[in-house]
Amino acid sequence: MRDEMNKALDEVEFTIFDTETTGLEPGSGDRIVEIAAIRFRGKETVSTFQTLVNPNRQVSEGAFRVNHITREMLESAPAIEAVLPDFLNFIKGSCLCSYNAPFDMEFLENELKLANVSPPAGLVVVDILSMARKLLPGLPRYALWSVAQKLGAACEQRHRAFADVEMSLDVFRKLGDIMRLKRIIDYKGLVVLFGLDSPFLQDITSQKIAQIQEAIDLGVKIRIQYFSSSGAQVSEREVAPKVIKLDNNKAYLVGYCCLKHEERTFRIDGILHLEII
């Protein structure tokens, strides 16, 4: 996995997926009624996935007003138990992405639990909405169609799974162009900044904390590549680390910044790369 993390973005296979559901609350019994995905690498589409899913329950009026999926459309659709093996095989070995990934992942994880199926080991999930918020700070709204319009991408949101995946893919690629301009060029940088919390991300954070603590113990400086969320900028800095602080489950480095000639605080999850000098 560490070798994979050092790859350039265009060398990694991603899968963008989207779900349509009976409502907004899987904990209250809402289920997936449609799932779609596009697997790609760079500019090349590797494969596509699309199916309706029979949820064995009514689509709520609110959900129907959004996705226009009727009970009749779902009667002959496969059950989720038949869909999940094919979908899990489709995403295997790729980085899973979604626009507002926590929402889609909550539904997917609920369906996996109900079907007594384990999620793929080592699955890495990236939230495209988080990418938009961090790379395009200050927008009045971050609905998918609004961000697509801002980026000059196709922006007619039809609220069907495959159409939303196509729009999300266009947005992902244009945000990727912005990342490259900011010198965020590898897979690790993408996952560190925009990945959902996972054991793998926690391991990366632990490694960075261990390196910083080593520098503190040795009394030496570190060189970091740092993403500032306030200005959506990436900078190279030399820092004399003083202490590691925890606040609201977030880890911070406090140290003397040679670039700014003053003591500064850095979010450790904003450190893309780190080396001891």
Side-chain angles (χ1 to χ4, degrees), residues 77 87 95 144 161 178 198 230 248 251 254 262 265 275:
F87 181 70
C95 173
L144 176 57
I178 294 174
S198 66
S230 59
N248 291 325
V254 180
E262 63 182 6
T265 299
E275 62 175 322

Side-chain angles (χ1 to χ4, degrees), residues 45-115:
T45 295
V46 176
S47 190
T48 62
F49 184 97
Q50 182 180 21
T51 184
L52 291 169
V53 179
N54 189 336
N56 291 311
R57 64 164 293 164
Q58 290 286 103
V59 177
S60 70
E61 291 185 10
F64 172 75
R65 286 196 296 269
V66 173
N67 57 41
H68 303 293
I69 295 175
T70 66
R71 181 178 60 184
E72 291 73 23
M73 293 167 63
L74 300 173
E75 284 178 349
S76 60
I80 193 68
E81 292 79 6
V83 171
L84 284 175
D86 290 338
F87 181 70
L88 295 181
N89 185 61
F90 182 86
I91 69 174
K92 185 177 180 180
S94 69
C95 173
L96 194 60
C97 309
S98 176
Y99 201 89
N100 193 12
F103 176 86
D104 290 304
M105 288 304 299
E106 185 179 13
F107 271 93
L108 179 59
E109 289 167 355
N110 182 62
E111 297 291 3
L112 289 169
K113 181 179 179 181
L114 292 174

Side-chain angles (χ1 to χ4, degrees), residues 85-218:
D86 290 338
F87 181 70
L88 295 181
N89 185 61
F90 182 86
I91 69 174
K92 185 177 180 180
S94 69
C95 173
L96 194 60
C97 309
S98 176
Y99 201 89
N100 193 12
F103 176 86
D104 290 304
M105 288 304 299
E106 185 179 13
F107 271 93
L108 179 59
E109 289 167 355
N110 182 62
E111 297 291 3
L112 289 169
K113 181 179 179 181
L114 292 174
N116 197 27
V117 176
S118 299
L123 182 65
V124 177
V125 182
V126 165
D127 184 17
I128 305 172
L129 173 58
S130 178
M131 292 175 66
R133 284 175 169 157
K134 291 182 178 180
L135 294 170
L136 301 171
L139 293 186
R141 59 187 306 174
Y142 287 92
L144 176 57
W145 67 267
S146 183
V147 172
Q149 186 178 55
K150 172 68 176 179
L151 292 170
C155 57
E156 183 184 353
Q157 191 168 12
R158 297 193 292 274
H159 293 291
R160 288 295 301 271
F162 195 78
D164 283 358
V165 167
E166 289 181 310
M167 191 187 305
S168 298
L169 173 56
D170 203 357
V171 166
F172 179 90
R173 284 176 168 157
K174 291 184 183 301
L175 291 172
D177 292 339
I178 294 174
M179 287 174 55
R180 291 178 183 88
L181 290 174
K182 296 180 181 295
R183 293 173 294 141
I184 306 170
I185 59 174
D186 60 10
Y187 182 39
K188 182 179 180 180
L190 174 80
V191 174
V192 165
L193 290 177
F194 315 119
L196 296 193
D197 188 32
S198 66
F200 185 75
L201 261 182
Q202 293 166 18
D203 182 51
I204 291 176
T205 299
S206 296
Q207 290 173 37
K208 288 188 285 190
I209 289 174
Q211 285 182 280
I212 294 168
Q213 188 60 55
E214 181 182 357
I216 292 172
D217 294 342
L218 293 172

